[in-house]
Amino acid sequence: MTAVEVRGLRKSYGEVEAVKGVDFDVAPGETFGFLGPNGAGKSTTIKILCTLAKADGGSARVAGFDVATQRNDVRRHIGLVFQDPTLDTYLSAEMNLRFHAELYGMPRETVAPRMEQVLRMVGLWERRTSKVLTFSGGMKRRLEIARGLMHSPRVLFLDEPTVGLDPQTRASIWDYIHELRQQEQITIFLTTHYMDEAENCDRIAIMDEGKLVALDTPAALKATVGTDRVTIRTADDQAALAVLEDAVLTPDGIVISVEDGESYVPRLFGTLGVPITSVSISRPSLDDVFLSYTGRTIRDSEQAPARPVMLAAMAGRR
Amino acid sequence: MTAVAAVRVPQRAFALDLRAVKIVVQRDLIRTLQDRTRFVAALVQPLLFLFVLGSGLGSLTRGATGSLDLKTFMFPGILATSTLFTAMFSAVSIVWDREFGFLREMLIAPVRRSSIILGKALGGATVATTQGILVLALAPFVHVPLTVGLGLTLLAEVFLLSFTLTALGLAIVSRIRQVQTVMGLMQVLLLPLSFLSGALYPLSNLPTWLSIVVRLNPLTYAVHPVRTAVFNHLQVSDSVRALLNPPITWNGWIVPTWLQLALVASIGLSLMAVAVRQFQQVE
């Protein structure tokens, strides 16, 4: 049985079509990354999957239950960690979990052992009696994850699990998620717009303007971008561009996409005829994948609608 | 297989909803115990009314109230209205929960929304009734002969009243997203509600407009049974009774106490239903 099954999902808010017919499956045990800029429709999709919003068309099943008609069954089998905090900070960590256990109707005898298990997993067992308001941001997020796991869900939804956290805390959250995958039979469905984090996923779906534009493993997606990127700075960029094929001018210099960067560079020095002042080679990242599928970097697409220099340059050369 | 899973055993679902109600109430009690300052502060105003206003005005009204101390007369009204603030605050706390995100944790749980809202209303009523016990402890100081029977009757009436008030609060706040807004709204609402309920003055010889407004105020029907219960335990002449605790009449017909209580209960339940529907519509 698939953990998440989405067919032709649609949702509009008034005039705005937020999700324009999306299809995908997530296999049990998979860590599935949902990638896209704000406003791409990923929050809306996740809300529908979590039964927090109703779809206008299409269908979705989570853990085998229909999100539209079997709402409580879906809810009982999923764990949710939102990007905004949903803890009662005046209660202890333990009381927050107990509250959750009661709301989810956990069998009473399982509450105490499960609480110890999830609190130990996120390293908060020693702090269980402390009020949550004494916790740091990272500890709160870990507690939210522990709470999301409390009732042993089959699918854990993590909406931007590391947003607003410092790099060290982000790394430690990921350590917990990896550990979790080893300890529990669980499917993890997460959204993020940190490209480096998306690489932790088994598969990635890229969503843009309400549509799924790509869906594959990080390695396969990177392979579609294919080439290495050689960035050079020269004494005369225009002269260099005139000579080079498939090259674009960016604020960082001239970017050339080639199959094998290491062997290309020595040849370039010989043939360019314009003095080169610096060279760097980079392997494709998910950032590039995103760029190639949407025509924008993920950061650009969250800023003002003004098109960045690079794209203007690209458009000009086509 | 999904068709099988869709079949629910009603009893089990009911037990789950019951657990949800209980934990929501329990949380309200824990939070109240943690915030004893607010709990005690909520008693300051009723005590001011009772002992300062009651003593101060008592010298003015000595002739009018016969042998009865004004404080004795005011006590039931104070007991009833002392729950107002606490009950309303319980309702406000749900806006607080929304602002801090915790409401979401409650609303996404696999239980009926009505159990969450019912838990909130019962929680508010329980906290307010606990406060009522403290006010009740003052009975001997204002010459109210407290018996176990009277005490339990009063607490039951206070519980019913504060349940209805919390339900009213929940129905009002269900769409409000900011604590400041709701605090202001409550201020505007609370004093008129209690001033127009006959909590602080007898219902006899009122000007026509006021007697009409008082009869339209649901709180009146919660305050009157409390006062009647107290007056039933007082040794006073019939004329004093007629002056200070006249029956409520609708066009000359005396409204019996049971009907008043039933009225308060049904208003409470209707407001609960409104609140549940409102919360169902939000995310």
Side-chain angles (χ1 to χ4, degrees):
Chain A
M1 185 186 64
T2 47
V4 178
E5 189 186 304
V6 178
R7 292 288 174 271
L9 206 63
R10 288 177 187 284
K11 171 81 180 173
S12 301
Y13 291 105
E15 294 283 284
V16 186
E17 219 182 342
V19 181
K20 306 170 180 168
V22 167
D23 298 82
F24 62 87
D25 288 321
V26 180
E30 195 175 1
T31 298
F32 188 85
F34 216 46
L35 214 68
N38 293 334
K42 65 182 164 64
S43 300
T44 306
T45 309
I46 216 170
K47 268 187 182 167
I48 296 171
L49 295 180
C50 299
T51 75
L52 293 176
K54 282 200 175 99
D56 297 331
S59 68
R61 301 182 81 81
V62 174
F65 301 105
D66 189 301
V67 295
T69 58
Q70 296 167 295
R71 205 162 75 155
N72 281 354
D73 291 306
V74 171
R75 289 179 175 197
R76 207 162 280 137
H77 291 96
I78 61 173
L80 285 174
V81 179
F82 300 107
Q83 46 179 312
D84 303 317
T86 62
L87 296 162
D88 186 338
T89 54
Y90 289 92
L91 297 180
S92 64
E94 202 174 38
M95 189 55 205
N96 268 285
L97 295 192
R98 178 148 292 139
F99 190 92
H100 187 84
E102 290 297 312
L103 279 191
Y104 281 73
M106 282 177 68
R108 283 199 175 80
E109 64 280 5
T110 63
V111 175
R114 180 66 178 167
M115 190 186 301
E116 180 168 354
Q117 192 187 1
V118 294
L119 281 177
R120 283 195 189 284
M121 186 189 293
V122 299
L124 289 173
W125 175 247
E126 272 69 40
R127 298 293 306 271
R128 63 189 180 278
T129 54
S130 309
K131 280 190 193 174
V132 176
L133 55 89
T134 65
F135 285 12
S136 69
M139 288 163 76
K140 283 182 191 159
R141 200 66 56 91
R142 270 145 57 194
L143 182 60
E144 298 236 16
I145 293 175
R147 189 181 61 183
L149 293 169
M150 187 67 193
H151 57 288
S152 306
R154 271 195 258 154
V155 185
L156 179 67
F157 288 92
L158 299 169
D159 190 13
E160 303 281 357
T162 58
V163 79
L165 299 178
D166 61 85
Q168 272 172 328
T169 315
R170 277 171 59 187
S172 81
I173 295 273
W174 272 104
D175 288 341
Y176 291 120
I177 295 176
H178 287 309
E179 194 181 329
L180 171 67
R181 291 169 66 185
Q182 281 156 12
Q183 290 186 10
E184 313 251 332
Q185 283 267 319
I186 195 167
T187 307
I188 301 174
F189 189 115
L190 64 95
T191 67
T192 180
H193 57 262
Y194 293 120
M195 288 294 164
D196 49 331
E197 294 192 343
E199 311 222 6
N200 290 303
C201 302
D202 295 324
R203 280 196 309 155
I204 294 168
I206 297 178
M207 200 163 181
D208 190 40
E209 292 176 350
K211 282 187 174 152
L212 222 54
V213 292
L215 170 62
D216 216 323
T217 61
L221 286 176
K222 280 190 265 182
T224 62
V225 184
T227 53
D228 291 354
R229 283 152 52 106
V230 176
T231 308
I232 57 170
R233 287 189 182 280
T234 65
D236 184 351
D237 285 346
Q238 292 309 322
L241 280 171
V243 179
L244 294 165
E245 284 173 28
D246 290 331
V248 286
L249 184 62
T250 76
D252 297 330
I254 297 172
V255 176
I256 314 143
S257 299
V258 289
E259 283 298 334
D260 184 2
E262 271 94 353
S263 63
Y264 175 79
V265 171
R267 273 186 283 132
L268 183 67
F269 274 91
T271 55
L272 189 60
V274 178
I276 296 171
T277 54
S278 77
V279 175
S280 72
I281 304 173
S282 62
R283 307 233 158 248
S285 69
L286 284 171
D287 251 318
D288 304 319
V289 173
F290 188 83
L291 175 68
S292 83
Y293 279 103
T294 66
R296 309 189 300 283
T297 68
I298 199 154
R299 228 170 290 107
D300 293 333
S301 41
E302 286 178 0
Q303 286 164 358
R307 307 216 99 196
V309 182
M310 187 171 173
L311 287 165
M314 275 173 117
R317 289 194 59 87
R318 282 210 176 121
Chain B
M1 93 135 269
T2 46
V4 175
V7 176
R8 294 237 189 77
V9 186
Q11 221 148 20
R12 171 137 174 81
F14 178 73
L16 289 180
D17 283 323
L18 202 64
R19 276 178 81 181
V21 173
K22 265 159 66 181
I23 194 71
V24 173
V25 173
Q26 201 185 332
R27 170 172 173 259
D28 267 13
L29 293 181
I30 291 174
R31 291 287 298 265
T32 305
L33 282 178
Q34 283 178 352
D35 194 1
R36 270 163 257 174
T37 319
R38 171 171 63 81
F39 190 75
V40 174
L43 285 172
V44 171
Q45 196 185 323
L47 294 188
L48 274 176
F49 272 115
L50 185 58
F51 287 104
V52 178
L53 213 57
S55 302
L57 293 178
S59 57
L60 269 180
T61 60
R62 196 163 295 137
T65 53
S67 55
L68 200 69
D69 188 341
L70 180 67
K71 292 196 284 289
T72 312
F73 165 77
M74 281 175 76
F75 180 73
I78 296 297
L79 175 64
T81 48
S82 69
T83 64
L84 262 171
F85 182 80
T86 305
M88 286 297 183
F89 190 90
S90 292
V92 170
S93 75
I94 211 164
V95 181
W96 202 266
D97 283 341
R98 170 177 281 145
E99 230 181 307
F100 286 85
F102 194 74
L103 183 65
R104 205 162 190 191
E105 155 78 354
M106 294 196 268
L107 294 186
I108 58 165
V111 288
R112 264 178 253 162
R113 293 264 156 107
S114 48
S115 23
I116 305 288
I117 305 301
L118 182 65
K120 268 289 181 192
L122 289 177
T126 310
V127 174
T129 308
T130 316
Q131 206 159 50
I133 295 175
L134 293 187
V135 177
L136 215 51
L138 300 171
F141 300 103
V142 293
H143 323 296
V144 171
L146 198 58
T147 63
V148 175
L150 176 61
L152 291 179
T153 309
L154 293 179
L155 285 182
E157 285 169 351
V158 165
F159 187 84
L160 176 67
L161 166 64
S162 42
F163 175 83
T164 299
L165 286 171
T166 316
L168 169 68
L170 288 170
I172 294 173
V173 305
S174 55
R175 291 303 183 89
I176 296 177
R177 288 181 187 276
Q178 282 191 313
V179 173
Q180 296 100 299
T181 318
V182 85
M183 283 299 197
L185 193 65
M186 290 302 167
Q187 289 297 335
V188 173
L189 207 73
L190 284 183
L191 275 185
L193 258 183
S194 57
F195 274 23
L196 296 172
S197 69
L200 302 174
Y201 45 80
L203 297 178
S204 53
N205 309 322
L206 293 180
T208 314
W209 69 268
L210 186 54
S211 73
I212 292 170
V213 177
V214 163
R215 277 174 177 76
L216 290 176
N217 181 359
L219 198 57
T220 304
Y221 302 95
V223 171
H224 192 261
V226 174
R227 181 174 293 143
T228 305
V230 170
F231 268 74
N232 286 344
H233 285 73
L234 294 178
Q235 307 286 333
V236 286
S237 67
D238 286 349
S239 61
V240 170
R241 199 181 296 273
L243 181 70
L244 295 182
N245 187 34
I248 299 182
T249 54
W250 286 343
N251 208 5
W253 181 66
I254 294 176
V255 186
T257 301
W258 69 262
L259 183 60
Q260 295 180 39
L261 293 174
L263 196 67
V264 176
S266 50
I267 291 173
L269 291 175
S270 319
L271 288 169
M272 260 280 297
V274 171
V276 168
R277 217 184 29 239
Q278 297 274 6
F279 276 100
Q280 233 132 25
Q281 282 162 18
V282 295
E283 184 171 274

